[in-house]
Amino acid sequence: MAQPITIGANSIAKINNRFFLIVEVEAKTTGVEIDPVFGVRTTAQQAAALIRAGVMRTKFQNFDPKPTSTTKVELKGVLFAGGQIFKVFDVENSTDVSVLVRINQAQAQRLIKAGTRIIKVYRKPF
């Protein structure tokens, strides 16, 4: 039997010399599909250790990723981190990765008003 809770996309983002672990938690079972994304501030040492252990670096793009026949793209929310604002996408093909696209305050407010979630960020490193 598959585990009902797993980690989906996860990566390390460096935003204005601050490091964030971007994580998707997937909870799936009959009648339930919950998959929030959240950020956790890390120290530079924690980020480096996680990258050495195999955690990917977050992808940053200037444009929204597009779905294809082999790639699923889902907008997960708006991230406010390091004084910048991003749309966060979950991009699934042979890997499962977060893609961040920088946006401005007006774009963020339009998305939030239309129902896009604000991604929770734990700002104090553990």
Side-chain angles (χ1 to χ4, degrees), residues 83-123:
Q84 297 183 40
I85 309 168
F86 302 89
K87 288 191 278 186
V88 177
F89 293 90
D90 178 28
V91 178
E92 295 182 25
N93 48 29
S94 59
T95 61
D96 192 2
V97 66
S98 294
V99 173
L100 275 58
V101 177
R102 190 164 180 196
I103 59 174
N104 62 37
Q105 182 74 34
Q107 291 169 309
Q109 290 304 321
R110 280 193 298 276
L111 286 167
I112 293 164
K113 190 177 267 192
T116 302
R117 288 183 170 85
I118 297 172
I119 293 176
K120 171 71 176 162
V121 177
Y122 295 91
R123 302 206 180 271

Side-chain angles (χ1 to χ4, degrees), residues 17 36 43 51 59 65 71-72 86 94 101 116 118:
N17 289 321
T43 66
I51 291 168
K59 292 185 180 181
T71 304
K72 179 182 167 191
F86 302 89
S94 59
V101 177
T116 302
I118 297 172

Side-chain angles (χ1 to χ4, degrees), residues 1-6 26 28-30:
M1 180 188 249
Q3 291 292 320
I5 299 175
T6 58
E26 297 178 341
K28 295 181 183 178
T29 190
T30 305

